[in-house]
Amino acid sequence: MRAEHLSFYRPIRQDVVALPPPPASLLEQVDAYNSPFSPVEDLFTPHDPPINWYALGDSYTAGPGTGEDYDDDKACARNVGSYAVQLENEFPFKSADNFNFIACTGYTCADSLIEARDVIEPEWADFMVMTLGGNDIGFSAIAAECLVKAEFLPGDCDETLAKAKGLLAATEFETNIYAIYDEIFAKMKDDRHYQLYHIFYHRFFNDVTEWCNHKTFAIRHPKLTRTLRGKMNNLSDALNKRLEEVAANYIRMQRGKASWSQASRLVAINPDKLTDEDGNTYGLFDGHRFCEPGVTNLKDPSVWFFSTLSHDSLQKRQASTPNRVAAPEVLTQTFHPKTAGFKAIKRVLQENLQKNRPAER
C-alpha cells in the first residue's frame, strides 16, 4: 500500500524580513557538502569489479520532486536528485559499480519485503542502502493532519500523534523491520563484506524560534507554534530512537555468527545524531529546517525540505501523463528533502562507505 498523499489550499504569501545572516559555521557546513569528494581504491570487496548495490525503501530514498524522473514509474516517483542517484554519480570508490534503484514512494516494510523477495537477485549485491519505517507509523497522514489540513475540517492532531506512537511501540513495528533485515541478508552472501546501510529520518523544524509561531503552510491551516513544532520533532526523535533500538537488537541477535564476528554488517545512520571530529553531536539538517533563525519564509532556498507547492534547485518538467494513478509529485514531495538535502545525505554515505569498507588487501 502507498502512503496517503497530501492535499492543501493555496499557500499564504510569506513576507521576508531582513534578519542577520546564518552563522559562519553553517555556511562552512554547506561548503563542505558542495566540495569535491575523493574516491579511494576499493580494497574491501572480495571479488573483481564492479561493485553491485541496491537502493530500496521509501520516498526518503526515492526522492520525489528532486529533478527529472529516474525512470517511467510515476507512482514510485524515483528522481535523479535522490541521494542514491547522487551517490551513484559520485561513487566513493574508484572501481566501477552496478546500481539498481528500487525504492518507492509510500512503501512500508511489508511493501519492501515483497520487493526484496521478488526483485533482489540472490548473492548479487555487495551492499544495499535504504530508508524505511516512517510509513509504518503513518508519517504522511501525520503531516497531513497536523500541518496541512484546513482548520475547519474534522480530525485531531494529538490523536493522530498518539496513534503513531502506539504503532511505534508495538511489537509489530520491530517484527516488520526484522523481517526486511532478514530478507536482505538472506539475499546477500553470508560474509562480513556484504552490508546494509539503514538511514533514518530528520526533524522538520527549528522549534525554538519565535517568528514562526504565526506562520502556516497555507491559508486557514495550523499555525506553526513552538508547541506544534516541538510535537512533530519529538515524533521524529521517537521514530529514530526506536529504529536505533531495533537495529541494535538485531545486531545483538547476530552474535555468534561467523560473518558478523569482526564487524556489524548492519550500519545504522541517524542523521539527527551525527558526531563531528571534536565529539560534538549535531543534526545533518541543522540550519536548514523550517523556521530557522535568519529567515522568515518557509520556502527560503536555505530550507532543505519541500514546503507546500515549492520548488527545488533541480527543476522538474511537469509533463501530463494519461491515466496517471499517482498524485502529482508537487504534492507528494511536500516535507521530503530537496536535492540539496540529499546531497548532504550522499556525503554522509560516502564517508560511511569508505569507513566501513576499509582496505584489506
Side-chain angles (χ1 to χ4, degrees):
M1 297 188 302
R2 308 197 190 282
E4 297 178 31
H5 296 290
L6 304 174
S7 60
F8 35 77
Y9 283 74
R10 184 183 301 276
I12 191 170
R13 179 178 181 270
Q14 306 286 355
D15 296 318
V16 178
V17 178
L19 287 173
S25 60
L26 291 178
L27 297 178
E28 292 170 359
Q29 180 191 63
V30 175
D31 289 340
Y33 297 138
N34 288 326
S35 63
F37 189 84
S38 299
V40 298
E41 296 289 347
D42 172 38
L43 300 175
F44 183 84
T45 304
H47 61 77
D48 292 335
I51 300 173
N52 305 311
W53 62 288
Y54 285 94
L56 66 156
D58 59 26
S59 54
Y60 269 63
T61 293
T66 56
E68 295 300 319
D69 296 337
Y70 180 81
D71 54 29
D72 294 331
D73 190 335
K74 301 294 185 181
C76 281
R78 290 184 282 263
N79 280 215
V80 299
S82 162
Y83 75 80
V85 180
Q86 293 191 51
L87 183 68
E88 202 273 337
N89 291 334
E90 298 179 56
F91 202 58
F93 302 103
K94 293 180 180 179
S95 301
D97 73 292
N98 278 335
F99 169 50
N100 201 328
F101 195 14
I102 60 173
C104 190
T105 295
Y107 264 20
T108 61
C109 287
D111 299 317
S112 290
L113 184 61
I114 294 171
E115 186 90 342
R117 288 172 175 168
D118 293 348
V119 176
I120 293 178
E121 184 177 341
E123 298 192 351
W124 180 83
D126 294 295
F127 70 87
M128 304 189 202
V129 299
M130 74 173 187
T131 54
L132 198 63
N135 289 323
D136 287 76
I137 65 167
F139 225 96
S140 179
I142 295 163
E145 179 65 43
C146 297
L147 300 175
V148 292
K149 188 198 72 176
E151 293 176 330
F152 56 81
L153 294 177
D156 186 280
C157 175
D158 287 339
E159 289 181 2
T160 303
L161 291 172
K163 179 181 178 181
K165 290 178 180 178
L167 292 171
L168 198 56
T171 303
E172 185 179 2
F173 181 87
E174 187 172 25
T175 302
N176 288 341
I177 297 289
Y178 287 163
I180 189 67
Y181 285 169
D182 284 343
E183 184 64 27
I184 286 172
F185 286 114
K187 285 296 183 79
M188 290 193 283
K189 292 181 179 180
D190 187 22
D191 182 285
R192 62 186 175 83
H193 295 90
Y194 300 89
Q195 305 163 325
L196 169 64
Y197 293 77
H198 188 177
I199 307 161
F200 303 160
Y201 299 90
H202 312 263
R203 286 178 157 214
F204 291 128
F205 298 100
N206 180 312
D207 57 13
V208 299
T209 53
E210 299 289 345
W211 70 264
C212 232
N213 284 337
H214 299 289
K215 296 294 183 179
T216 65
F217 283 110
I219 296 172
R220 300 189 67 182
H221 281 52
K223 292 180 179 179
L224 301 178
T225 64
R226 289 183 61 184
T227 299
L228 177 57
R229 286 179 272 152
K231 289 178 180 178
M232 295 300 296
N233 282 349
N234 288 342
L235 182 62
S236 297
D237 291 344
L239 174 58
N240 283 350
K241 182 179 179 180
R242 182 71 164 127
L243 289 170
E244 282 183 331
E245 293 171 350
V246 172
N249 288 339
Y250 187 84
I251 291 168
R252 278 193 289 270
M253 289 189 293
Q254 310 313 308
R255 288 176 179 172
K257 296 182 179 180
S259 61
W260 292 70
S261 60
Q262 295 186 31
S264 173
R265 298 173 62 196
L266 171 59
V267 180
I269 302 173
N270 182 348
D272 269 350
K273 201 166 72 174
L274 302 176
T275 305
D276 64 19
E277 294 178 354
D278 298 321
N280 300 311
T281 301
Y282 69 98
L284 186 62
F285 279 32
D286 286 352
H288 302 283
R289 310 179 199 272
F290 295 116
C291 303
E292 297 284 11
V295 295
T296 58
N297 189 337
L298 296 173
K299 297 182 180 180
D300 191 271
S302 66
V303 178
W304 284 353
F305 291 109
F306 283 105
S307 179
T308 51
L309 301 178
S310 61
H311 300 289
D312 193 13
S313 56
L314 293 179
Q315 292 301 308
K316 184 182 186 69
R317 292 191 297 271
Q318 296 291 341
S320 60
T321 304
N323 302 318
R324 182 171 180 172
V325 175
E329 227 169 288
V330 72
L331 307 185
T332 308
Q333 71 191 22
T334 308
F335 306 123
H336 288 80
K338 298 178 181 178
T339 298
F342 279 131
K343 179 179 289 187
I345 299 170
K346 172 211 65 180
R347 175 56 61 92
V348 169
L349 261 176
Q350 288 173 322
E351 294 169 350
N352 268 273
L353 283 162
Q354 288 189 357
K355 175 184 175 181
N356 290 287
R357 302 180 70 82
E360 292 186 344
R361 53 185 171 83

